[in-house]
């Protein structure tokens, strides 16, 4: 990735729906050259996709939490990924180092909803226990920098 690619990625992080003409002006290239670069960044999996970023609270999911997952042995990555992708309340899931085997960021409507999600997680055959931390105020939230 050169400096122009990094500028393109930064511009797309700010607005993933920016028109090619606007991107081209930002990086000093023609529209067709800009489109070719974006297409290459997508083909090279630098840009993995475009998505709408929706505020969970607007959808009524007011309660964010982190759930640490502790398993009772080695779980195949694909199995855990498949199971966790099946829970729409999971916003992000990570394998981690440390005592827990995975950390999940979830969003739910209320405590009753949270209890149902935790119950479903504990129902997975390989889950030994969970530890949940309620998230209060967001101090910093931003996309990753391109460079």
């Amino acid at each position: 990735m050169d400096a122009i690619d990094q500028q393109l990625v930064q511009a797309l992080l700010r607005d993933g729906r920016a028109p090619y003409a606007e991107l081209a002006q930002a990086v000093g290239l023609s529209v067709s050259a800009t489109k070719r670069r974006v297409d290459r960044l997508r083909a090279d999996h630098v840009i993995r996709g475009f998505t709408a970023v929706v505020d969970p609270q607007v959808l009524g999911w007011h309660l964010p939490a982190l759930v640490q997952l502790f398993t009772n042995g080695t779980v195949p990555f694909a199995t855990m990924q498949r199971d966790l992708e099946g829970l729409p309340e999971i916003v992000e899931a990570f394998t981690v180092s440390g005592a827990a085997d995975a950390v999940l960021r979830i969003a739910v409507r209320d405590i009753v909803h949270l209890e149902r999600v935790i119950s479903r997680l504990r129902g997975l055959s390989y889950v030994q226990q969970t530890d949940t931390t309620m998230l209060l105020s967001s101090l910093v939230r931003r996309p990753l920098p391109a460079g």
Side-chain angles (χ1 to χ4, degrees):
M1 264 187 42
D2 64 14
I4 293 174
D5 288 342
Q6 290 179 3
Q7 288 176 320
L8 276 171
V9 170
Q10 283 290 359
L12 288 167
L13 283 170
R14 283 189 300 276
D15 181 2
R17 293 181 51 147
Y20 287 114
E22 185 178 311
L23 296 171
Q25 185 176 12
V27 299
L29 295 176
S30 69
V31 173
S32 59
T34 300
K35 183 182 181 320
R36 281 194 303 275
R37 279 187 179 251
V38 171
D39 289 345
R40 183 180 42 77
L41 289 168
R42 291 185 71 198
D44 292 347
H45 303 286
V46 173
I47 298 172
R48 295 185 297 182
F50 299 90
T51 188
V53 179
V54 179
D55 184 345
Q57 291 188 1
V58 173
L59 300 176
W61 296 42
H62 298 284
L63 198 59
L66 293 178
V67 178
Q68 292 185 80
L69 218 59
F70 299 84
T71 65
N72 54 17
T74 303
V75 181
F77 179 82
T79 300
M80 186 181 292
Q81 185 175 26
R82 181 196 67 233
D83 292 343
L84 298 179
E85 284 177 343
L87 296 170
E89 297 85 356
I90 297 174
V91 177
E92 292 181 290
F94 304 92
T95 56
V96 296
S97 62
D101 296 295
V103 173
L104 319 175
R105 186 168 65 91
I106 65 170
V108 294
R109 287 183 299 279
D110 51 34
I111 295 296
V112 172
H113 190 187
L114 175 62
E115 288 176 330
R116 283 198 305 267
V117 171
I118 292 170
S119 180
R120 288 197 315 243
L121 288 168
R122 289 181 178 168
L124 298 172
S125 62
Y126 50 82
V127 173
Q128 181 180 13
Q129 74 180 59
T130 61
D131 182 20
T132 303
T133 300
M134 306 303 297
L135 300 177
L136 302 175
S137 299
S138 176
L139 297 174
V140 177
R141 175 174 263 158
R142 61 178 157 234
L144 295 174

